[in-house]
């Protein structure tokens, strides 16, 4: 996806999701303030708030009123759970395709 196609709040979500996934930000790490993120990304504070809401909904961060936003203790777990689900789905799809292929081979064999 090109940067032009990505909404400003999505850039923050992508950047911070990746930093957390790669371990550059660990559990308990404080994120920059809304104002700092707005200045860094050249966007309005409301847009930053939307990004923080997305990150909270994904379980990657939590926020304390007046203290800021922090990387969640379960951020790695959420990523692992999503990965595990994706792998299971792929395994099921491969098994279904293998069964179909076997049937086709029997029919044509």
């Amino acid at each position: 996806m090109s940067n032009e196609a990505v909404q400003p709040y999505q850039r923050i979500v992508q950047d911070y999701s990746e930093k957390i996934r790669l371990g550059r930000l660990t559990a308990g790490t404080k994120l920059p303030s809304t104002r700092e993120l707005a200045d860094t990304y050249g966007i309005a504070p409301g847009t930053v708030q939307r990004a923080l809401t997305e990150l909270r909904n994904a379980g990657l961060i939590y926020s304390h009123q007046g203290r800021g936003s922090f990387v969640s203790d379960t951020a790695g777990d959420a990523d692992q759970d999503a990965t595990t689900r994706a792998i299971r789905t792929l395994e099921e799809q491969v098994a279904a395709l293998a069964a179909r292929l076997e049937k086709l081979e029997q029919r044509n064999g």
Side-chain angles (χ1 to χ4, degrees), residues 13-27 55 60-61 71-72 74-80 82-83:
V13 172
Q14 290 173 352
D15 289 352
Y16 278 85
S17 294
E18 183 174 335
K19 288 176 184 180
I20 292 167
R21 183 178 57 79
L22 295 175
R24 292 185 188 140
L25 295 175
T26 58
L55 290 167
L60 297 175
I61 67 167
V71 176
S72 173
T74 60
D77 294 342
D79 191 40
Q80 183 64 35
T83 301

Side-chain angles (χ1 to χ4, degrees), residues 78-99:
D79 191 40
Q80 183 64 35
D81 290 345
T83 301
T84 301
R85 284 192 304 274
I87 289 171
R88 284 189 188 134
T89 300
L90 288 171
E91 288 172 339
E92 291 169 5
Q93 291 172 343
V94 168
L97 288 171

Side-chain angles (χ1 to χ4, degrees), residues 3-57:
N3 280 344
E4 296 82 32
V6 177
Q7 294 292 319
Y9 80 93
Q10 291 172 323
R11 284 188 308 168
I12 297 173
V13 172
Q14 290 173 352
D15 289 352
Y16 278 85
S17 294
E18 183 174 335
K19 288 176 184 180
I20 292 167
R21 183 178 57 79
L22 295 175
R24 292 185 188 140
L25 295 175
T26 58
T29 302
K30 187 177 189 297
L31 273 60
S33 71
T34 299
R35 174 62 57 199
E36 290 169 327
L37 287 170
D39 290 345
T40 299
Y41 285 88
I43 58 177
T47 305
V48 172
Q49 287 300 325
R50 183 172 179 189
L52 294 176
T53 297
E54 293 278 329
L55 290 167
R56 270 193 303 277
N57 290 342

